[in-house]
């Protein structure tokens, strides 16, 4: 997986072909559980992601914030990716995805990065939606991250990729020029968040809320995680976890549960 290069007479450009085809497959214990039949999904994505460890696995929740005019996403199905089978929703605009999990319990989600909201997008040739399927084609966190590290970061707009397997979390960050990675043990809840208004603008208030609602309730992390992802400040809807503003809103919530005996993805369209 990754960005393949072929022989050319001139320097090759990036391979931006979709990584998955339209055919849905059945896949053992992995099963899509859409809450509703219809959804309204729009991009570019801004997200809030939390991961909570449990005794025999983890729960990852992803709020996806999108522009109101984006076409609806295709609900979750199972797809062949490399030698693995994975489940994820698909953004029809890029034939990729922002969140998914495969048949060995390797989960991944991708957040766009907005380091300076005053800067225009440079129009990178490849969709970031192909990155998560690249990871899910592999059987381990190290293999998935290695595949992403083989891509050319200049072919994509900046992103932050979060990969979870067992009790290990890997984060690959790109500023559009270079890639960096960090791997850590999942022993306590983790938060990742972004916004087209500027990541720095939303990170501090959402992190304070996360500390108060989730981290302070160690015996009730899962319930606290649920409330966190539904939270909205009445006077600050634009920077809330469940956000809303004239051009964008939280359009879906995805829950990935990986336990010793089950792998499950639940998808709830909103708005």
């Amino acid at each position: 997986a990754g960005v393949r290069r072929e022989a050319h007479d001139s320097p090759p450009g990036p391979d931006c072909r979709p990584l998955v085809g339209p055919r849905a497959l059945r896949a053992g214990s992995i099963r899509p559980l859409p809450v509703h039949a219809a959804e309204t999904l729009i991009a570019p994505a801004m997200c809030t992601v939390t991961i909570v460890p449990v005794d025999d696995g983890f729960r990852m929740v992803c709020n996806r914030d999108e522009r109101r005019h984006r076409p609806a996403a295709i609900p979750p199905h199972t797809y062949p990716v490399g030698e693995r089978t994975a489940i994820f929703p698909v953004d029809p605009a890029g034939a990729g995805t922002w969140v998914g999990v495969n048949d060995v319990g390797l989960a991944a989600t991708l957040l766009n990065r907005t380091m300076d909201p005053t800067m225009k997008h440079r129009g990178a040739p490849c969709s970031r939606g192909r990155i998560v399927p690249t990871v899910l084609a592999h059987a381990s966190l190290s293999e998935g991250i290695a595949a992403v590290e083989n891509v050319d970061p200049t072919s994509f707009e900046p992103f932050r990729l979060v990969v979870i397997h067992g009790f290990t979390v890997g984060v690959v960050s790109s500023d559009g020029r270079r890639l960096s990675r960090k791997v850590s043990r999942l022993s306590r809840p983790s938060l990742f968040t972004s916004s087209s208004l500027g990541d720095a603008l939303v990170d501090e208030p959402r992190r304070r809320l996360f500390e108060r609602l989730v981290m302070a309730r160690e015996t009730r992390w899962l319930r606290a995680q649920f409330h966190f992802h539904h939270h909205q400040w009445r006077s600050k809807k634009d920077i809330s976890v469940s956000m809303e503003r004239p051009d964008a809103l939280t359009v879906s919530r995805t829950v990935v549960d990986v336990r010793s005996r089950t792998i499950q993805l639940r998808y709830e369209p909103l708005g």
Side-chain angles (χ1 to χ4, degrees), residues 118-179:
T118 65
M119 292 185 63
K120 293 183 178 180
H121 291 291
R122 53 194 175 83
C126 292
S127 168
R128 287 169 286 198
R130 62 182 280 115
I131 294 172
V132 166
T134 296
V135 174
L136 300 182
H138 296 275
S140 70
L141 184 142
S142 59
E143 291 175 355
I145 287 179
V148 174
E149 289 180 325
N150 284 331
V151 308
D152 178 2
T154 65
S155 295
F156 301 89
E157 296 288 351
F159 64 85
R160 178 172 290 113
L161 172 73
V162 182
V163 186
I164 315 98
H165 197 206
F167 292 101
T168 304
V169 179
V171 180
V172 178
S173 298
S174 168
D175 61 4
R177 299 184 302 275
R178 301 177 191 82
L179 294 172

Side-chain angles (χ1 to χ4, degrees), residues 63-100:
N63 276 21
R64 180 172 168 88
D65 311 331
E66 293 288 4
R67 300 200 183 278
R68 294 176 183 267
H69 64 264
R70 188 72 174 187
I74 300 169
H77 288 286
T78 49
Y79 297 92
V81 283
E83 297 184 357
R84 307 252 57 87
T85 301
I87 178 172
F88 47 83
V90 171
D91 180 351
T97 189
W98 64 98
V99 63

